Short mmCIF file of all heavy atoms in Angstrom, two decimals:
data_model
loop_
_atom_site.label_atom_id
_atom_site.label_comp_id
_atom_site.label_asym_id
_atom_site.label_seq_id
_atom_site.Cartn_x
_atom_site.Cartn_y
_atom_site.Cartn_z
N GLN A 51 9.73 121.65 69.53
CA GLN A 51 9.58 122.21 70.87
C GLN A 51 9.03 123.62 70.80
O GLN A 51 9.31 124.37 69.87
CB GLN A 51 10.90 122.17 71.63
CG GLN A 51 11.89 123.22 71.31
CD GLN A 51 13.16 123.05 72.13
OE1 GLN A 51 13.32 122.14 72.94
NE2 GLN A 51 14.11 123.94 71.90
N LEU A 52 8.22 123.95 71.80
CA LEU A 52 7.59 125.26 71.86
C LEU A 52 8.64 126.34 72.11
O LEU A 52 9.43 126.26 73.04
CB LEU A 52 6.54 125.29 72.97
CG LEU A 52 5.77 126.60 73.10
CD1 LEU A 52 4.99 126.90 71.83
CD2 LEU A 52 4.84 126.53 74.30
N ALA A 53 8.65 127.31 71.24
CA ALA A 53 9.52 128.48 71.36
C ALA A 53 8.65 129.68 71.00
O ALA A 53 8.57 130.08 69.84
CB ALA A 53 10.73 128.37 70.44
N PRO A 54 7.95 130.25 72.00
CA PRO A 54 6.97 131.31 71.72
C PRO A 54 7.55 132.50 70.95
O PRO A 54 6.82 133.16 70.20
CB PRO A 54 6.50 131.75 73.11
CG PRO A 54 6.81 130.60 73.99
CD PRO A 54 8.04 129.93 73.42
N ASN A 55 8.83 132.77 71.08
CA ASN A 55 9.43 133.92 70.40
C ASN A 55 10.21 133.52 69.15
O ASN A 55 11.05 134.29 68.67
CB ASN A 55 10.35 134.68 71.36
CG ASN A 55 9.59 135.23 72.54
OD1 ASN A 55 8.47 135.73 72.38
ND2 ASN A 55 10.15 135.12 73.72
N HIS A 56 9.93 132.33 68.63
CA HIS A 56 10.63 131.85 67.44
C HIS A 56 10.47 132.84 66.28
O HIS A 56 9.37 133.29 66.00
CB HIS A 56 10.10 130.48 67.02
CG HIS A 56 10.69 130.00 65.74
ND1 HIS A 56 10.02 130.08 64.54
CD2 HIS A 56 11.89 129.44 65.47
CE1 HIS A 56 10.78 129.59 63.59
NE2 HIS A 56 11.92 129.19 64.12
N VAL A 57 11.58 133.16 65.67
CA VAL A 57 11.58 134.02 64.47
C VAL A 57 12.01 133.14 63.31
O VAL A 57 13.12 132.58 63.33
CB VAL A 57 12.55 135.20 64.63
CG1 VAL A 57 12.60 136.02 63.37
CG2 VAL A 57 12.15 136.05 65.83
N PRO A 58 11.15 132.97 62.30
CA PRO A 58 11.52 132.11 61.18
C PRO A 58 12.78 132.62 60.47
O PRO A 58 12.99 133.83 60.37
CB PRO A 58 10.32 132.21 60.23
CG PRO A 58 9.19 132.65 61.09
CD PRO A 58 9.80 133.52 62.15
N PRO A 59 13.59 131.69 59.99
CA PRO A 59 14.76 132.10 59.21
C PRO A 59 14.31 132.84 57.95
O PRO A 59 13.24 132.57 57.42
CB PRO A 59 15.44 130.79 58.85
CG PRO A 59 14.76 129.73 59.63
CD PRO A 59 13.48 130.27 60.12
N ASP A 60 15.11 133.74 57.50
CA ASP A 60 14.85 134.47 56.25
C ASP A 60 15.94 134.07 55.27
O ASP A 60 16.92 134.76 55.07
CB ASP A 60 14.86 135.98 56.51
CG ASP A 60 14.41 136.78 55.29
OD1 ASP A 60 13.93 136.18 54.32
OD2 ASP A 60 14.56 138.01 55.32
N TRP A 61 15.76 132.89 54.71
CA TRP A 61 16.76 132.30 53.84
C TRP A 61 16.58 132.80 52.42
O TRP A 61 15.44 132.93 51.97
CB TRP A 61 16.63 130.78 53.90
CG TRP A 61 17.70 130.07 53.14
CD1 TRP A 61 18.90 129.67 53.64
CD2 TRP A 61 17.69 129.71 51.78
NE1 TRP A 61 19.63 129.08 52.66
CE2 TRP A 61 18.91 129.08 51.49
CE3 TRP A 61 16.77 129.85 50.75
CZ2 TRP A 61 19.23 128.61 50.24
CZ3 TRP A 61 17.09 129.38 49.50
CH2 TRP A 61 18.31 128.76 49.25
N PRO A 62 17.58 133.08 51.66
CA PRO A 62 18.99 132.91 51.97
C PRO A 62 19.69 134.18 52.43
O PRO A 62 20.82 134.13 52.89
CB PRO A 62 19.58 132.46 50.63
CG PRO A 62 18.77 133.22 49.63
CD PRO A 62 17.37 133.28 50.22
N ASP A 63 19.05 135.34 52.32
CA ASP A 63 19.78 136.59 52.51
C ASP A 63 19.33 137.44 53.68
O ASP A 63 19.83 138.54 53.86
CB ASP A 63 19.68 137.45 51.24
CG ASP A 63 20.27 136.76 50.03
OD1 ASP A 63 21.34 136.14 50.18
OD2 ASP A 63 19.67 136.84 48.94
N GLY A 64 18.41 136.97 54.50
CA GLY A 64 17.86 137.81 55.54
C GLY A 64 18.74 137.94 56.76
O GLY A 64 19.80 137.32 56.88
N ASP A 65 18.28 138.78 57.69
CA ASP A 65 19.00 138.98 58.95
C ASP A 65 18.95 137.73 59.83
O ASP A 65 19.91 137.41 60.52
CB ASP A 65 18.41 140.16 59.71
CG ASP A 65 18.68 141.48 59.02
OD1 ASP A 65 19.67 141.57 58.28
OD2 ASP A 65 17.89 142.42 59.22
N GLN A 66 17.81 137.06 59.86
CA GLN A 66 17.64 135.84 60.64
C GLN A 66 18.03 134.66 59.75
O GLN A 66 17.26 134.18 58.96
CB GLN A 66 16.20 135.70 61.13
CG GLN A 66 15.95 134.54 62.04
CD GLN A 66 16.61 134.72 63.39
OE1 GLN A 66 16.88 135.82 63.82
NE2 GLN A 66 16.87 133.63 64.06
N GLN A 67 19.26 134.20 59.88
CA GLN A 67 19.78 133.17 59.00
C GLN A 67 19.26 131.78 59.35
O GLN A 67 18.75 131.54 60.44
CB GLN A 67 21.31 133.17 59.04
CG GLN A 67 21.92 134.37 58.34
CD GLN A 67 21.64 134.37 56.85
OE1 GLN A 67 21.95 133.43 56.15
NE2 GLN A 67 21.04 135.43 56.37
N GLN A 68 19.43 130.88 58.41
CA GLN A 68 19.04 129.49 58.57
C GLN A 68 19.62 128.90 59.85
O GLN A 68 20.77 129.12 60.18
CB GLN A 68 19.57 128.74 57.35
CG GLN A 68 19.42 127.26 57.40
CD GLN A 68 19.87 126.66 56.09
OE1 GLN A 68 19.12 126.62 55.16
NE2 GLN A 68 21.11 126.20 56.04
#
Side-chain angles (χ1 to χ4, degrees):
Q51 79 181 0
L52 182 62
N55 298 320
H56 175 259
V57 177
D60 187 9
W61 186 90
D63 299 319
D65 291 334
Q66 185 69 24
Q67 288 295 304
Q68 173 175 277

